[in-house]
Amino acid sequence: MPKEAPNAQKGRTGLQRVWHAFGYSLAGLRAGWQETAFRQEATASLAMIPLAFWLGRNWVEVVLLAGVVLIVLIVELLNTGVESAIDRIGPEWHDLSKRAKDMGSAAVLLSLLLCAGTWVAALWSRLS
C-alpha cells in the first residue's frame, strides 16, 4: 500500500498542483493584507504602477519603475512570513529571534530606499 504524503499538496501533480498553489498564493496575499505596512504599500502601488507607464520613456524604464514597487511588496510579504514563523515559536525574547526580525526589517528598508531612489532619479530625469 502506498504511503500517503503528510501534506496533500506534495501528492498533487500537473494542473491540480498549480491550481492549489495558486489558491495558497491568494491566501498569502489575503494574509498580507491584514498587515498595515503591506496594505499601505499595496495601496501606494495602485497609483505608482500606472504612473510608471507615464513616467517611463521606454519599456525598460517602465519595468524598472513598476518592478521596484513590486520588489517592496515581495520583500514585505517575506518579512511578514519571517515574523510569523518567529512568533509561532514563542513570545519570549531571544537574541536570534530579534536578529531574524531585524534583518527582515532591514530588507524592507533597503527595498524602500531602492524604490525611492529609482523613482526620484526617474522624476528628476523626466522633469528636468
Side-chain angles (χ1 to χ4, degrees):
M1 177 183 274
K3 199 175 189 182
E4 192 171 314
N7 179 341
Q9 179 67 358
K10 302 295 182 191
R12 294 186 179 108
T13 59
L15 289 178
Q16 184 184 38
R17 183 178 180 92
V18 171
W19 179 252
H20 281 87
F22 179 73
Y24 298 142
S25 297
L26 290 178
L29 287 171
R30 280 192 299 274
W33 189 256
Q34 302 305 311
E35 297 293 321
T36 303
F38 181 79
R39 208 169 36 249
Q40 291 169 338
E41 293 156 354
T43 302
S45 77
L46 294 176
M48 292 175 77
I49 290 175
L51 272 174
F53 288 90
W54 169 79
L55 186 58
R57 294 182 179 168
N58 55 51
W59 72 269
V60 174
E61 289 182 7
V62 171
V63 169
L64 285 171
L65 290 166
V68 293
V69 172
L70 291 175
I71 286 171
V72 170
L73 296 175
I74 292 164
V75 173
E76 188 66 57
L77 286 171
L78 292 171
N79 180 47
T80 300
V82 167
E83 288 182 352
S84 296
I86 295 298
D87 291 345
R88 183 191 183 278
I89 293 169
E92 65 276 350
W93 187 92
H94 191 280
D95 188 51
L96 290 176
S97 296
K98 180 184 182 328
R99 184 175 181 191
K101 286 185 171 193
D102 289 349
M103 291 171 79
S105 181
V108 172
L109 174 64
L110 290 176
S111 71
L112 287 167
L113 291 174
L114 174 65
C115 184
T118 303
W119 276 79
V120 166
L123 282 167
W124 183 270
S125 174
R126 174 80 173 200
L127 300 177
S128 64

